[in-house]
Amino acid sequence: MLAESDELRLRTQYPVITGLSDETLAHFRQHCAVVSADDGQVLLEQGDFADRFVFPLEGGTRAVVRSAEDREITLDRVRPGDCCTLSASCLFGSCPSPARGVAEGALKAVVLPGELFFRIMDESAAFRRFIFGGISRRFVRLVETVERVTFQTVEKRLANALLERRDPIRVTHQALAMELGSVREIISRHLKTFENRGLVSLARQRIEILNREGLQELLTGVNGESSPADGDTDA
């Protein structure tokens, strides 16, 4: 059952909920639950079936694909107020998850049973626009991710990965390497270069961004590498 305080936060972060009928809201309060997860905790394994829709209230989630060589690519990130397209896609398709869902930061979320999800979809045009709009935006982001992995140097992919996170960033070089489909040594070298340029400050399992504009310039090619170094594009 949904507590009043959690419902208030949910309405604030997801205003689309406020337009539901009194009857549906009553079902919502009765059947929704609040879950918590630690940073890095696996919420959904690749190949599992999702039967719930997730509304993050704190922290967030990542959708990742892992290769047989234990490398990872992040396909999507969901923050409070965002549409969780991974769970929505699994519900719509009644299909196994194409990616692993992982908590990012200390996660607190409201989970909506699949049956109630479809009831709200049928009832609320605003909720349908929220879901389909979210899926559309995430598809665009997925195409951008494919372009980055295929065409961008590791330097640019790393800069983008840092800019997508909240500062200070608590992550290991190995975790970043797995996420970007690279290796730790290359990521560590680029991070050290970033530090020497005054873009970031490095500590154990912690990265602080000192110059966001400088990192953004790397993505636009203003101060980036003129050509891939040491085979970094494919690493």
Side-chain angles (χ1 to χ4, degrees):
M1 185 141 181
L2 197 61
E4 184 176 346
S5 58
D6 291 325
E7 181 182 347
L8 179 60
R9 293 186 64 185
L10 186 70
R11 286 172 176 265
T12 300
Q13 294 174 341
Y14 299 88
V16 68
I17 297 300
T18 61
L20 301 179
S21 67
D22 292 341
E23 182 181 0
T24 300
L25 279 173
H27 282 282
F28 196 99
R29 296 184 188 104
Q30 182 177 359
H31 296 291
C32 283
V34 176
V35 299
S36 299
D38 296 328
D39 182 41
Q41 183 175 334
V42 176
L43 309 170
L44 181 70
E45 282 287 2
Q46 190 170 341
D48 286 352
F49 284 84
D51 59 355
R52 303 178 298 175
F53 183 78
V54 180
F55 297 96
L57 299 179
E58 298 175 8
T61 65
R62 275 197 310 138
V64 302
V65 173
R66 177 172 290 184
S67 72
E69 293 78 23
D70 215 28
R71 292 188 177 186
E72 285 186 354
I73 292 293
T74 297
L75 302 180
D76 191 18
R77 278 189 166 87
V78 180
R79 297 287 182 262
D82 293 341
C83 171
C84 181
T85 54
L86 181 61
S87 56
S89 299
C90 290
L91 286 167
F92 282 134
S94 299
C95 60
S97 175
R100 170 183 285 184
V102 181
E104 192 164 52
L107 174 68
K108 182 177 182 180
V110 173
V111 292
L112 177 69
E115 182 178 349
L116 187 52
F117 171 83
F118 286 112
R119 173 173 176 164
I120 296 174
M121 285 289 295
D122 289 339
E123 173 184 314
S124 173
F127 189 74
R128 290 195 297 273
R129 287 193 296 270
F130 168 73
I131 296 296
F132 291 131
I135 290 175
S136 176
R137 288 188 294 273
R138 296 304 171 181
F139 179 76
V140 172
R141 291 289 300 277
L142 180 59
V143 171
E144 292 172 349
T145 298
V146 172
E147 289 179 341
R148 285 198 301 269
V149 172
T150 305
F151 302 117
Q152 283 188 349
T153 63
V154 170
E155 179 190 58
K156 289 188 176 183
R157 284 151 53 194
L158 177 58
N160 187 77
L162 296 178
L163 288 169
E164 285 184 341
R165 286 171 159 83
R166 296 178 179 177
D167 202 34
I169 302 163
R170 302 189 183 280
V171 65
T172 65
H173 295 192
Q174 178 62 33
L176 278 172
M178 290 177 61
E179 177 182 337
L180 297 175
S182 185
V183 294
R184 182 185 58 78
E185 291 78 8
I186 289 177
I187 296 301
S188 295
R189 175 161 56 84
H190 281 294
L191 285 172
K192 190 63 179 177
T193 299
F194 288 0
E195 185 175 48
N196 291 339
R197 294 182 187 179
L199 302 177
V200 302
S201 173
L202 303 178
R204 183 176 176 81
Q205 297 187 14
R206 186 177 184 274
I207 303 169
E208 182 179 358
I209 297 177
L210 302 179
N211 185 351
R212 283 190 169 271
E213 291 76 13
L215 286 177
Q216 188 63 50
E217 287 175 355
L218 292 179
L219 297 180
T220 58
V222 175
N223 289 322
E225 295 174 346
S226 57
S227 61
D230 301 325
D232 287 354
T233 302
D234 299 324

